């Protein structure tokens, strides 16, 4: 696996890939865990070459957010990616990504008015802008994202369609701890007690899926009972719990198979998110 920091090295590496070869690309912010590794393995199985970026993108963090505390683990990340079969790892540098005079912002206002959008002003603009830059630098045939960050997947998918980018966005399932807690680099900042408490998020989403599976479709009822379960856990402070349609991310009144129940909460001041697609979850519950 080739590892480099400079954009020039990345451009040189990209130039070695033949037009007939496919490149799978996994953008990350590092502190890699099994969720990231699953994306890399999927990319490995579907492409001739696999590239991973690690860049803690300053412009997607708000002034009161955890940019400074975000975990950075260069050596461990390198070892994991070597094992997962990546060909290239590039560590982005803010000075090269945003040189003096940088002025462009990509925004998708209609997709960022709900869910995390209002809580994190400017976040998705920062994400969309950096992802478009990364797509232009890596020029992948396929790019891999995790459904854990559902709104991000929708935003990137829309960006690719709207701007006629010639690549496929592959949304991959959320990898979880055995407790059900979605794997996240931010889980590293939770105490064991906090991790345990945080598992209520997925359990409450599943509980709503069970209710949906028994025929309850009124969104307010599904949301209220999940919110009640979360409220009983004193370490978890709910930010939002919303049932939305998977394309426009607008709140729905009646749940359907493709409706997404999404949650954000703070646990020990760490912000966590999770979501499920009701129909998929009912299907997997029946298989359990
Ligand atoms: P991040 O490093 O948090 O920016 O995440 C990089 C990519 O990994 C994003 O596409 C995330 O959605 C994805 N990802 C993060 N956690 C998980 C998880 N638990 N399961 C699957 N994908 C994930």
């Amino acid at each position: 696996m080739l590892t480099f920091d400079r954009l020039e090295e990345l451009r040189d590496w990209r130039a070695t890939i033949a037009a007939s070869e496919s490149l799978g690309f996994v953008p990350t912010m590092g502190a890699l865990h099994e969720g990231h590794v699953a994306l890399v393995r999927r990319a490995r199985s579907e492409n001739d070459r696999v590239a991973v970026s690690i860049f803690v993108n300053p412009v997607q963090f708000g002034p009161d957010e955890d940019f400074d505390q975000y975990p950075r683990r260069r050596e461990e990340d390198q070892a994991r990616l070597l094992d997962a079969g990546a060909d290239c790892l590039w560590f982005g540098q803010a000075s090269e990504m945003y040189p003096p005079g940088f002025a462009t912002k990509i925004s998708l206002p209609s997709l960022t008015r709900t869910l995390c959008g209002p809580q994190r002003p400017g976040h998705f603009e920062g994400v969309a802008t950096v992802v478009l830059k990364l797509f232009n630098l890596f020029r992948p045939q396929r790019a891999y994202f995790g459904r854990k960050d559902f709104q991000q997947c929708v935003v990137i998918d829309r960006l690719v369609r709207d701007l006629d980018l010639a690549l496929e966005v592959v949304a991959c399932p959320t990898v979880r701890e055995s407790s059900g807690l979605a794997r996240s680099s931010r889980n590293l900042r939770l105490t064991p007690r906090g991790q345990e408490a945080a598992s209520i998020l997925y359990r409450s989403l599943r509980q709503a899926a069970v209710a949906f599976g028994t025929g309850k479709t009124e969104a307010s009822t599904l949301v209220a009972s999940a919110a009640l379960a979360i409220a009983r856990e004193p370490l978890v402070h709910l930010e939002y719990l919303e049932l939305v349609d998977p394309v426009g991310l607008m709140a729905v009144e009646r749940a359907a198979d493709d409706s997404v129940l999404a949650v954000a909460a703070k646990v020990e001041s760490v912000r966590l998110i999770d979501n499920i697609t009701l129909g998929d979850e009912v299907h997997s519950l029946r298989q359990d």
Side-chain angles (χ1 to χ4, degrees), residues 3-10 74 89-93 96:
T3 301
F4 28 75
D5 295 71
R6 302 284 316 281
L7 276 181
E8 199 185 336
E9 295 169 291
L10 169 60
R74 189 175 170 114
L89 165 60
W90 173 74
F91 285 96
Q93 306 301 317
E96 279 199 303

Side-chain angles (χ1 to χ4, degrees), residues 55-62 65 67 94 98 102 104-105 121-130:
F55 179 51
V56 186
N57 176 32
V59 305
Q60 71 188 65
F61 287 78
E65 294 186 351
F67 177 72
Y98 304 112
F102 188 92
T104 301
K105 247 184 210 170
H123 169 70
F124 288 108
E125 286 183 351
V127 170
T129 306
V130 80

Side-chain angles (χ1 to χ4, degrees), residues 205-216 222 278 281-282 285:
L205 298 180
R206 255 173 98 97
Q207 183 186 305
V210 171
F212 173 72
T214 64
K216 292 202 175 67
L222 295 171
L278 289 179
E281 202 68 20
V282 169
L285 285 165

Side-chain angles (χ1 to χ4, degrees), residues 17-257:
I17 301 178
S20 58
E21 290 183 299
S22 64
L23 173 63
F25 172 51
V26 183
T28 81
M29 298 204 299
L32 304 179
H33 50 68
E34 284 306 309
H36 300 109
V37 169
L39 304 186
V40 176
R41 291 198 198 284
R42 172 96 179 254
R44 177 77 281 163
S45 71
E46 296 178 351
N47 299 278
D48 300 309
R49 307 275 195 114
V50 174
V52 178
S53 65
I54 294 184
F55 179 51
V56 186
N57 176 32
V59 305
Q60 71 188 65
F61 287 78
D64 301 325
E65 294 186 351
D66 57 353
F67 177 72
D68 291 332
Q69 292 100 319
Y70 201 86
R72 290 159 172 90
R73 315 193 138 193
R74 189 175 170 114
E75 270 77 39
E76 291 96 318
D77 287 351
Q78 257 177 299
R80 265 182 192 268
L81 291 173
L82 190 62
D83 187 54
D87 297 307
C88 153
L89 165 60
W90 173 74
F91 285 96
Q93 306 301 317
S95 55
E96 279 199 303
M97 289 295 273
Y98 304 112
F102 188 92
T104 301
K105 247 184 210 170
I106 307 292
S107 74
L108 296 90
S110 65
L111 293 177
T112 53
R113 282 192 198 113
T114 51
L115 305 179
C116 290
Q119 317 275 346
R120 305 192 70 186
H123 169 70
F124 288 108
E125 286 183 351
V127 170
T129 306
V130 80
V131 168
L132 181 56
K133 278 176 71 75
L134 293 171
F135 285 168
N136 284 331
L137 290 165
F138 283 85
R139 286 179 284 117
Q141 276 67 40
R142 297 184 192 84
Y144 295 80
F145 292 86
R147 288 179 71 91
K148 182 184 82 81
D149 299 277
F150 184 74
Q151 188 168 19
Q152 175 170 283
C153 285
V154 173
V155 162
I156 302 302
D157 194 57
R158 190 75 253 166
L159 171 82
V160 165
R161 287 162 195 262
D162 288 356
L163 299 185
D164 306 302
L165 305 182
L167 64 96
E168 183 190 346
V169 173
V170 184
C172 303
T174 300
V175 176
R176 300 178 179 283
E177 307 282 354
S178 55
S179 66
L181 175 64
R183 299 247 177 167
S184 164
S185 307
R186 291 189 166 99
N187 294 353
L188 289 169
R189 295 177 41 222
L190 295 172
T191 65
R193 170 77 190 95
Q195 293 215 9
E196 195 188 312
S199 67
I200 187 62
L201 297 176
Y202 181 58
R203 277 188 281 124
S204 67
L205 298 180
R206 255 173 98 97
Q207 183 186 305
V210 171
F212 173 72
T214 64
K216 292 202 175 67
T217 58
E218 202 178 320
S220 57
T221 313
L222 295 171
V223 168
S225 68
L228 194 66
I230 294 170
R232 285 200 205 100
E233 178 46 76
L235 285 189
V236 179
H237 303 283
L238 188 62
E239 264 188 17
Y240 69 72
L241 181 65
E242 285 181 48
L243 189 68
V244 297
D245 81 271
V247 180
L249 301 179
M250 297 305 289
V252 295
E253 287 181 10
R254 288 262 156 226
D257 268 1

